[in-house]
Amino acid sequence: MAEHIDPAPDPIPEAPTPESIDPAVVVPETDDSLAPPPESAALFPSLDPAPQPPPALPPELGTEDPMALFRPGAHDAPSPEPFSPVPAVTPPPTSGPHLPDPRWPQSWSPPIERVTPVPEPAPTAEPTPRRRWPTALLGLAAGFLGALVAVGAMWGFGVFDDASTAETSEAAPPTTVIERVVTEVVNPNADGTTLAAAVGRKVTPSIVTVEFGTDSAAGFTVVASGSGVVVSADGLVVTNEHVVADSDGFDARVVLSDGRVFPFEIVGEDALTDLAVIQVPATGLTPVDLGSTRDLSVGDVAIAIGNPLGLAGGPSLTVGVISAFNREVNPGFNASDRLFGMLQTDAPFTSGSSGGALVDGAGRLIGITTAVGVAEAGSGDVGFATPVELMTRITDEIIETGDVKHAFLGITGRDQLDRLDDGSLQPAGAVVITSEPDTAAERFGLQPGDVIVGFDDNEVRTMQDLVIGLRHYRVGTPVDFHINRDGTVETIVVELGERPEGL
């Protein structure tokens, strides 16, 4: 409770206090020598929430005007010296008869709401901190707590809500939730299995066994066997030409990976690329996924799946890597038996695996296992597979027409070797030695001495590059040949002819 300093010179008599009522505030005895100037009392307003009676009127102002205390000049009277603290005024009791205050006329009651006069400017002399700091701290704390309560109340009643945001939210159209579809790539090792096991589960249903033999009352006697790869759900199977060659006079059948047995018919075959297509009278088969060799590198995983040695019990699987690209292989005794552009792998496969699948680490077909190079000395054999791009080109035409016609340029040639500054020789194209009569080369103006350095988007550094590349084209396809003629590179469009029989 704040102390009020009466500017009147006469002392104010203390209101009588009944013995049963304790004073609300007891002001301790104070050393008068430490008393602050009288004006300092107004600097610290009361922290006591209980209402207090107005101060006594000075004698010179009279008692007839109860608001005289708050009129200008009411406090101009000089304060007596020395200063003596005024005893606390006892508030009226909460019950029982109201005890009158002798300082106030009975006809006037204290106002319900307290009126706090505007404090006068602080005096030049600083108040003694020993008496006033606790009250100042309490005032600051009370003010801070009061501010927090007020802000909390305002927040609770939504004073700080953003009206524009609320209007925008109300005006916003309803949101339509669309189902999100997430595509995940399954890691073959996620369930603890190996890569080969995961690939095997995926590819094995697409592998078949091709058998030739005799069928009698005693059962089917196998004479020769190979492998095949399902390329369509309605029973088209790709295998090697040498698997189905010379099969006349034998009974033929296909054994699926689930053990079902079907007869088959040969749709067509091509000895130049050692590929063939057969038809199985079945539906709902599992075709293999086709991959690509263009994005592969030496050292990438290569998995072979087939039926080596015609063993019963379903396909077998071996794991290796891609060892090399564009190998030239001669599995026969004639020059026409040469195979170009073959994939080399160390994944083991042997007799009976011909016509099987060579797949990448994702289980996509990258080649048809075709030949095995048997090492006379060393640690093992080398396998070769026909690339999937060449397989697709040949088998598509077989399925469409039952036969294959191969494109033909009509030149003889050799590798062009350029000598470098360091004295070494470097392949730089395929040089034309002769342009055969009645061929595409002669009709479109290729001349001896021309160096073919490319065609379409393919680079040519050797004759083998030219032969491998042209096998992917059909007869009658126009091709842009880039030739170096007398030091000038020019382009000649050549429409490819058909390869003659016997070449």
Side-chain angles (χ1 to χ4, degrees), residues 198-248:
V199 171
R201 286 198 300 266
K202 175 182 178 181
V203 180
T204 296
S206 303
I207 306 302
V208 304
T209 302
V210 181
E211 296 180 337
F212 297 94
T214 56
D215 195 5
S216 63
F220 191 87
T221 303
V222 177
V223 175
S225 69
S227 303
V229 180
V230 177
V231 294
S232 71
D234 57 357
L236 288 173
V237 176
V238 173
T239 186
N240 284 133
E241 185 271 342
H242 73 262
V243 170
V244 298
D246 301 327
S247 59
D248 293 342

Side-chain angles (χ1 to χ4, degrees), residues 101-130:
D101 191 335
R103 296 175 298 173
W104 295 91
Q106 293 302 315
S107 60
W108 189 83
S109 298
I112 296 176
E113 295 182 0
R114 180 175 15 175
V115 178
T116 303
V118 178
E120 297 180 2
T124 305
E126 296 183 359
T128 304
R130 187 170 61 178

Side-chain angles (χ1 to χ4, degrees), residues 31-48:
D31 187 358
D32 292 343
S33 61
L34 299 177
E39 292 82 355
S40 62
L43 295 176
F44 303 96
S46 172
L47 299 178
D48 192 342

Side-chain angles (χ1 to χ4, degrees), residues 65-88:
D65 186 0
M67 299 303 294
L69 178 63
F70 305 103
R71 299 186 184 282
H75 295 279
D76 294 342
S79 300
E81 294 294 340
F83 169 77
S84 296
V86 180

